[in-house]
C-alpha cells in the first residue's frame, strides 16, 4: 500500500513535469513580447520622427488592451477551455506580429499602434489562460515557488529580448544615433523589422499548433461570471484590497517607465546601444526576484520589504531627476560588471529601479488579498486589472517631458514616479493594514 502511494506521487510528479515546462516556455514568450517594447519604442521614434508623447502611445496601445480584454478573455476561457485559450492567445499574437510587416512597409504609425493593440490583447488572453496552471497544476504548498520561477523567466526574457532586437534589427544602424536620417536610411531601418517579425510570427504560430497537440490537462472550469458580479461591490468595501488595486496600478506604471522609457532617454543622450537598455533594468529585476526569494519571509516580512522598495524607489527617482547626464562615476565604479561600457549615471539609476521594483508586485498581491476569504478570486481579478497602469505611466512621463524630445526634458519627466512611490510607501505603512473605511 505504501509503495503504491509512493508510485502514485512519482507518476503525478512526472505527469506535471511536461505541462510545467510548456507553461514555463509560455511565460518566457510573454516576457519576450512585453519587454521587446523597450527597444521598439525608441527605434520607431527614430524612424517615424515621433514626439515623446507619440512614442509613448506605442506602450499605451499595448498595455491598454488589458483594460478592455481582461474580462472578455475570462469569458473566452470559460467557453473554450484553458488549453484552447492558450492556443487562441498565441494565434492572436501571431496575427499581430504579421501586422508589423505592412506597418513597416508603409511606415504608417496608426498601423503600428493597431499591431501593438492586438499583440496586447493576445498576450492578455494567453496570460489569463496560463496563469491558473502555475497554481493549480502542482501541489498547493509549492505554488509560491512556481510563481517565483515563472516571474524570473518572464523578467529574464526581458534581458534577452532587447539583445536579440539589437542583434537582428539595429546592428547595422548604430551610426544613425544623433544624426539626421535620409529617406533611404529610414526605409532601410523600417524594412529591417520585416524578417524578424515574420520569424516571430512563424515561431508563435508553430507554438500555437504545438499547444493544441500538447499533453496539457484541462483544468476544472471556474464559476460563471454572473456569480461574481454581486461580490464586486462587497470586495471594494475592504480598504486593503481597494487601496491595493491603486498601489498595483501605480507600481506597474513605474515598472514600465523604468523598463521601457530608458531606451528613449538613452537615444536622446546619444547612446548608440539604446536598444539594449531595457536589458539592464530587467537584469536588476531578476536579481531582485532572487533576493526576495532568499530574504522573504525568513529575514524580512512582505510589508517591510515593500516599505524598503518604496523608499529605495524614491531615492533612485530623485537621483534620476537631479542627476548629471555627463557623469559616469557609477559606470566607472561598476566597471568590473559593465566592462568598457560607459553609461551616464542617470541611465544606471533608472536600471537600478528594476531592483527597487522587483518585489513590489509579490508583496502587494498577498497583502491586498489578506482576509478576503470567498472574495479572493474577485479581488485577484481586480488586482490584475492594475496592469493597465503600464499604459498610463509612460503617457504621463511623456506629458511631463514636453514635446522637445531633449534629454534634459525627458529627465525632468521622471518626476511622475515620485507620487507613485509615495503612494506605495503609504500602502506599505498604513494602507495594507486598514480593514475598515471608518
Amino acid at each position: 500500500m505504501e509503495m503504491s502511494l509512493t508510485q502514485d506521487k512519482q507518476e503525478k510528479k512526472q505527469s506535471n513535469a511536461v505541462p510545467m515546462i510548456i507553461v514555463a516556455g509560455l511565460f518566457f514568450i510573454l516576457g519576450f513580447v512585453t519587454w521587446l517594447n523597450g527597444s521598439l519604442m525608441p527605434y520607431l521614434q527614430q524612424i517615424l520622427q515621433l514626439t515623446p508623447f507619440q512614442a509613448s502611445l506605442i506602450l499605451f496601445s499595448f498595455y491598454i488592451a488589458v483594460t478592455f480584454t481582461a474580462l472578455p478573455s475570462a469569458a473566452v476561457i470559460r467557453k473554450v477551455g484553458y488549453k484552447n485559450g492558450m492556443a487562441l492567445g498565441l494565434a492572436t499574437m501571431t496575427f499581430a506580429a504579421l501586422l508589423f510587416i505592412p506597418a513597416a512597409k508603409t511606415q504608417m504609425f496608426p498601423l503600428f499602434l493597431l499591431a501593438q493593440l492586438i499583440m496586447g490583447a493576445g498576450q492578455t488572453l494567453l496570460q489569463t489562460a496560463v496563469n491558473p496552471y502555475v497554481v493549480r497544476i502542482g501541489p498547493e504548498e509549492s505554488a509560491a515557488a512556481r510563481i517565483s520561477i515563472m516571474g524570473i523567466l518572464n523578467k529574464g526574457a526581458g534581458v534577452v529580448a532587447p539583445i536579440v532586437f539589437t542583434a537582428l534589427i539595429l546592428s547595422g544602424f548604430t551610426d544613425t544615433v544623433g544624426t539626421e536620417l535620409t529617406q533611404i536610411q529610414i526605409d532601410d531601418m523600417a524594412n529591417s523589422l520585416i524578417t524578424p517579425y515574420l520569424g516571430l510570427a512563424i515561431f508563435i504560430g508553430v507554438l500555437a499548433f504545438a499547444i493544441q497537440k500538447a499533453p496539457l490537462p484541462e483544468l476544472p472550469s471556474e464559476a460563471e461570471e454572473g456569480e461574481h458580479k454581486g461580490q464586486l461591490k462587497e470586495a471594494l468595501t475592504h480598504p486593503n484590497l481597494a487601496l491595493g488595486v491603486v498601489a498595483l496600478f501605480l507600481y506597474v506604471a513605474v515598472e514600465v517607465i523604468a523598463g521601457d522609457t530608458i531606451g528613449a532617454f538613452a537615444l536622446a543622450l546619444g547612446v548608440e546601444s539604446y536598444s539594449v537598455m531595457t536589458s539592464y533594468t530587467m537584469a536588476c529585476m531578476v536579481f531582485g526576484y532572487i533576493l526576495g526569494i532568499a530574504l522573504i519571509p525568513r529575514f524580512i516580512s512582505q510589508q517591510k520589504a515593500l516599505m524598503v522598495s518604496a523608499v529605495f524607489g524614491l531615492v533612485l527617482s530623485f537621483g534620476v531627476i537631479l542627476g548629471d547626464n555627463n557623469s559616469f562615476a557609477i559606470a566607472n565604479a561598476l566597471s568590473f560588471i559593465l566592462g568598457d561600457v560607459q553609461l551616464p549615471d542617470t541611465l544606471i539609476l533608472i536600471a537600478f529601479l528594476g531592483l527597487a521594483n522587483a518585489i513590489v508586485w509579490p508583496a502587494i498581491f498577498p497583502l491586498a488579498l489578506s482576509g478576503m476569504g470567498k472574495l479572493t478570486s474577485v479581488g485577484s481579478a481586480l488586482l490584475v486589472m492594475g496592469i493597465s497602469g503600464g499604459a498610463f505611466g509612460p503617457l504621463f512621463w511623456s506629458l511631463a517631458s514636453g514635446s522637445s524630445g531633449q534629454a534634459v526634458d525627458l529627465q525632468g519627466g521622471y518626476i511622475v514616479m515620485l507620487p507613485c512611490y509615495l503612494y506605495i510607501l503609504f500602502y506599505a505603512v498604513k494602507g495594507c493594514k486598514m480593514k475598515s473605511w471608518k
Side-chain angles (χ1 to χ4, degrees), residues 23-265:
V23 168
L26 293 177
F27 265 88
F28 187 88
I29 292 295
L30 282 168
F32 189 93
V33 170
T34 299
W35 298 110
L36 196 61
N37 291 324
S39 299
L40 183 66
M41 176 183 169
Y43 193 74
L44 291 182
Q45 184 176 358
Q46 195 180 10
I47 297 172
L48 304 177
Q49 300 173 7
L50 306 175
T51 66
F53 175 76
Q54 290 173 321
S56 71
L57 294 178
I58 296 167
L59 301 178
F60 181 86
S61 57
F62 181 86
Y63 284 99
I64 199 63
V66 178
T67 306
F68 62 86
T69 61
L71 293 178
S73 292
V76 169
I77 300 303
R78 285 195 297 271
K79 187 76 174 176
V80 304
Y82 286 92
K83 183 176 174 179
N84 289 332
M86 290 180 203
L88 192 57
L90 288 166
T92 305
M93 292 166 66
T94 300
F95 176 65
L98 289 172
L99 267 184
F100 274 88
I101 297 174
K105 277 290 185 185
T106 60
Q107 296 169 31
M108 291 177 59
F109 185 48
L111 198 51
F112 278 112
L113 295 183
L114 177 62
Q116 283 285 89
L117 185 69
I118 295 174
M119 184 67 80
Q123 70 92 29
T124 301
L125 178 55
L126 176 59
Q127 195 157 226
T128 304
V130 78
N131 271 311
Y133 263 87
V134 184
V135 177
R136 300 169 69 184
I137 202 66
E140 188 176 340
E141 60 269 17
S142 60
R146 294 195 298 276
I147 291 170
S148 298
I149 292 169
M150 297 306 163
I152 290 173
L153 282 167
N154 187 277
K155 306 309 178 188
V159 178
V160 175
I163 296 172
V164 172
F165 183 94
T166 301
L168 296 181
I169 297 173
L170 189 66
S171 56
F173 304 107
T174 54
D175 59 345
T176 60
V177 176
T179 64
E180 188 80 28
L181 296 179
T182 65
Q183 188 57 51
I184 293 175
Q185 287 176 313
I186 291 172
D187 292 341
D188 288 343
M189 291 180 74
N191 289 334
S192 71
L193 291 167
I194 294 174
T195 301
Y197 270 92
L198 177 60
L200 181 64
I202 292 172
F203 176 77
I204 296 177
V206 169
L207 192 58
F209 178 77
I211 289 294
Q212 279 282 312
K213 304 297 182 182
L216 282 172
E218 190 58 65
L219 298 179
S221 60
E222 298 284 345
E224 290 299 315
E225 185 181 357
E227 296 178 33
H228 293 296
K229 284 183 178 178
Q231 299 177 340
L232 182 61
K233 187 175 180 181
E234 185 182 351
L236 292 175
T237 61
H238 294 255
N240 61 310
L241 173 68
L243 297 173
V245 171
V246 178
L248 273 183
F249 177 90
L250 295 175
Y251 156 67
V252 178
V254 292
E255 180 193 40
V256 175
I257 288 174
D260 285 344
T261 70
I262 186 173
F265 185 38

Side-chain angles (χ1 to χ4, degrees), residues 338-367:
L338 298 175
D340 296 330
V341 177
Q342 286 290 298
L343 297 174
D345 290 350
T346 45
L347 279 180
I348 295 178
L349 290 174
I350 294 172
F352 281 168
L353 282 166
L355 182 58
N357 294 338
I359 58 175
V360 176
W361 178 287
I364 290 177
F365 218 92
L367 290 172

Side-chain angles (χ1 to χ4, degrees), residues 228 231 234 372-378:
H228 293 296
Q231 299 177 340
E234 185 182 351
M372 293 300 294
K374 66 177 183 178
L375 302 172
T376 297
S377 61
V378 175

